[in-house]
Every structure is written in structure tokens, then in C-alpha cells.
Amino acid sequence: MTASRQQKWYWVCQAIGWTCYLFIGLLMSFLFFKKQAGMYAVQFVGTAMFFGTTHLQRHLHRKHRWLELPLGKMVLLVLAYNAVASITCQLLVCLFMLSIGMFTLKEFSFGYLVMYSANGLVILSFWSTIYFAFQAIQRWKEKEVEAWKLQLSLKEAELQAIRSQLNPHFLFNSLNNIRSLVLVDQTKAREMITRLSAMMRYVIGYNRNNLVSVAEELGFLDHYVALEKIHFEDKLHFSSQVEASVKNAAIPPLGIQLLVENAIKHGIGTQAKGGKIQLSLHRKNGHLRVQVENTGILDASSASTGIGLQRLLERVAHSLDQPGTFNLSQTSDNSVTATLTLPWKDYENLHR
């Protein structure tokens, strides 16, 4: 259910529920307090106060996220709020009744105040039970939907990764290059075979985890760049600047590699003389910032966020519980910079 629809149904249910409560109160006043016309006004005032009290409770719950508290603590908080609210409402109703002359201070009974306050507590607690039960069910449904979306996104990302990194074209180029190396440098050829094998294990097996550490991702990236350098030879110059503190940051698998792949495909691959790719990772204002600068010219077709980057941002939002941002810009006459900003989370802390 969308937020606007929830808002609509909240007000509809509030209106219907408290209108029914008012009707019952007016009926009771008619049956048992016929000689006290002021009781009708008291019912309107009391209903209005309960209406305002419940709406204030909803506001506090949404502002301070009561539903995220442990169940026992939340129940005690709601009961305490309802008790204070009920006593306050009854005191205000008593003051209203005094002001219209329904009774005097000498006739005031503390026992009646306690009785009506207890009655109000029951009514408010009944409202709270219905409201928070509905909110809990909605939250459970939203989490179920998010979980399915994440699972689908991960599967799509896995397929996209296999298509991008291990598609027949990539495998053909890599194996063909390795075959050529066997004739001139068997040691390096064995190294490249090992790298390709490590890449395949990483890509096929990573989907078991929603997140990996930056160190793991950089290890995979090292294999990927090494294989691409065989293909591009001297046309590809890759360098990186990585702060030591960011290596334990959590990141969705293939997040960094996707930026480098795009830089090679849309940047270096379009330049007759090749070019440079500069990777930098650092922490700034509680975020992990990944920047990939490459030689090239930004065109309209590559300026928009592709499907791979859209899926990556979805995985960031689901896995890290906060959205990430992506920006692609022409930073100089022949230089394009892609910037991915992620919420910071320590990978080790996620597994304790």
C-alpha cells in the first residue's frame, strides 16, 4: 500500500471510528443523563480530545520510530503514553464540566476520575493495538517485498555479471590471448589462467552474499584489469589510490568493477591510442566514495545511468539500508569521471 493510500485510509478509519464512539456516547447520555443537557457537549469535547490524542500518538510514533523499538519497550511506552493521555483528557473534561456548571468542586469525586481515566486507558489502548498491529503487518509486507526485490535484483545482477565478464566474447579474447602467451611466456600464461579461474569463481559464487568487502572486490578487479591489459596491451594504463581504511568497507559485489568496465568500454575502447584509468577510493562524511576517471569524451548515450548501474543502486539501497548516488561528468577536455557514493558500513561488523 502506497504512503498516500495509507494516509487516506488512516483518516477514513479515524473519522468512522471516532464518529461511532461519539454516537455511542450521545446515546448513553440520552438514556442515562436526560436531565443533564451539558453531557452532550461533554461527549463532543471528550471525543475531540481522544481524536487529537491518538493523532498525536501517531505523529510521535512516526517521528521517533516506536515500531523499531524492542516489543516490550514499545508496549510499555504506548501504555505509559495512553495512561498520561487518558488522565489528562479526563482532567480537561472535568474542567470543562466545572466551567459549564455541571458540578461544583465540593461534588468532585476522585474515584470517578480514576474510573473514567481507566476507561479512557482501555479505549486508547484498544486504538493503539489496532493501529500498531496494522503498521506491523504493513512493515512485514514491505520487508517481504523488499526481500523479493533484492533477491530478483541479485539474480539479475548475477546474470548481467556473467554476460558482461564471462560472456563468450570476453572468454574468447582472454583464452585467445592466453594461448598466444603460452608460446612466448608460459609463466605469465599460467598466471592468467589462474586469474581467469579466480574471476569465474568470484562471479558465479558471489551471489551467496549481498555484500563483500572492498578488499575482496579489489582482488577481483586486479584479475579483471590484468586480463584486459593483455587484450589492450599498451593502450590501457590503470592506476589506483585506495585509502587503507576503506578496504574493510562493505560494498555490493562487482560494484567497483562495473565502473571500471564502463570506463574501458566507453572510454579507452573508443580511443585509437587508448588512455588512462585512475581509480580512487576514500571515506568522506560517513560515505564511501568510489571515483573512476578515464580518458574519453562523454556522449549523450553514455551520460544516462544504464541498467547495470540502476541495478547496482538498487542493491546498495537494499543491502546497505540507505540509498547511494551516481554521477557521471566530463571533468576536462579529454577526461570523464564516474563517482559512486555509498553509505559507509564496516564489513566485519556485519558478521559479528
Side-chain angles (χ1 to χ4, degrees):
M1 187 182 293
T2 62
S4 59
R5 193 175 180 185
Q6 281 191 39
Q7 183 85 347
K8 177 183 176 182
W9 276 108
Y10 165 77
W11 286 113
V12 168
C13 292
Q14 278 283 76
I16 293 174
W18 291 114
T19 298
C20 291
Y21 176 80
L22 175 62
F23 176 78
I24 293 172
L26 291 174
L27 180 62
M28 297 293 289
S29 298
F30 175 77
L31 294 176
F32 300 104
F33 302 97
K34 291 182 179 180
K35 296 181 179 180
Q36 294 178 290
M39 283 300 297
Y40 297 113
V42 170
Q43 295 299 335
F44 277 98
V45 171
T47 302
M49 288 183 180
F50 277 173
F51 181 92
T53 295
T54 53
H55 186 63
L56 176 60
Q57 182 176 151
R58 174 178 180 262
H59 171 74
L60 293 174
H61 145 64
R62 298 177 71 180
K63 182 178 180 180
H64 300 289
R65 300 180 179 181
W66 288 4
L67 208 58
E68 296 181 7
L69 297 172
L71 180 60
K73 188 175 181 179
M74 189 195 76
V75 170
L76 289 175
L77 180 62
V78 171
L79 285 175
Y81 173 88
N82 288 338
V84 172
S86 179
I87 293 171
T88 302
C89 287
Q90 295 307 325
L91 284 172
L92 291 174
V93 167
C94 287
L95 289 174
F96 176 75
M97 294 173 72
L98 279 170
S99 67
I100 62 175
M102 292 192 65
F103 62 84
T104 64
L105 283 174
K106 291 182 179 180
E107 295 172 331
F108 176 77
S109 172
F110 183 76
Y112 278 111
L113 176 63
V114 172
M115 182 182 69
Y116 283 115
S117 295
N119 181 61
L121 175 60
V122 171
I123 294 169
L124 292 177
S125 296
F126 178 72
W127 182 94
S128 298
T129 300
I130 295 175
Y131 176 77
F132 283 103
F134 176 80
Q135 292 297 318
I137 292 172
Q138 284 298 115
R139 189 179 182 191
W140 175 76
K141 287 182 177 179
E142 289 173 0
K143 285 191 173 183
E144 283 283 298
V145 171
E146 287 181 1
W148 280 109
K149 282 184 177 179
L150 175 58
Q151 187 174 2
L152 178 61
S153 180
L154 288 171
K155 290 297 181 183
E156 289 180 351
E158 179 187 5
L159 290 174
Q160 179 67 22
I162 293 173
R163 294 190 191 102
S164 300
Q165 277 74 52
L166 300 179
N167 59 34
H169 180 69
F170 176 83
L171 287 173
F172 174 79
N173 285 338
S174 298
L175 292 173
N176 197 41
N177 293 329
I178 292 172
R179 184 185 64 177
S180 300
L181 277 176
V182 170
L183 301 175
V184 295
D185 191 340
Q186 295 182 6
T187 301
K188 189 172 183 180
R190 286 195 295 270
E191 178 193 343
M192 292 302 123
I193 292 173
T194 302
R195 288 181 180 275
L196 182 59
S197 176
M199 280 186 63
M200 294 177 69
R201 275 197 305 271
Y202 185 85
V203 172
I204 295 173
Y206 85 85
N207 64 307
R208 291 192 294 267
N209 299 312
N210 296 341
L211 296 168
V212 296
S213 67
V214 167
E216 291 177 282
E217 181 72 2
L218 290 176
F220 171 80
L221 182 66
D222 181 57
H223 299 319
Y224 175 76
V225 172
L227 287 166
E228 288 287 27
K229 278 187 175 182
I230 299 176
H231 179 68
F232 285 94
E233 298 179 337
D234 295 335
K235 291 182 179 181
L236 174 58
H237 301 276
F238 179 84
S239 61
S240 62
Q241 293 180 346
V242 181
E243 292 180 1
S245 61
V246 307
K247 290 187 177 181
N248 188 47
I251 188 171
L254 304 180
I256 300 174
Q257 182 276 334
L258 179 60
L259 300 186
V260 175
E261 178 196 6
N262 286 342
I264 294 175
K265 181 179 179 182
H266 300 292
I268 307 305
T270 62
Q271 304 293 308
K273 296 181 179 180
K276 299 178 180 179
I277 295 178
Q278 170 72 44
L279 169 67
S280 64
L281 286 90
H282 59 276
R283 183 175 185 174
K284 184 176 182 180
N285 299 328
H287 289 80
L288 172 65
R289 180 165 293 181
V290 182
Q291 287 186 314
V292 176
E293 183 179 356
N294 65 270
T295 305
I297 303 296
L298 182 63
D299 57 33
S301 62
S302 62
S304 60
T305 303
I307 186 66
L309 288 167
Q310 289 178 6
R311 295 304 184 203
L312 173 59
L313 291 174
E314 287 179 8
R315 288 192 289 146
V316 169
H318 290 309
S319 300
L320 296 174
D321 300 324
Q322 295 179 43
T325 60
F326 176 78
N327 181 63
L328 186 65
S329 61
Q330 186 81 44
T331 50
S332 67
D333 291 341
N334 195 35
S335 180
V336 177
T337 300
T339 304
L340 178 66
T341 303
L342 311 176
W344 180 276
K345 278 195 177 181
D346 287 321
Y347 182 71
E348 289 182 358
N349 293 339
L350 297 176
H351 299 80
R352 288 179 178 176

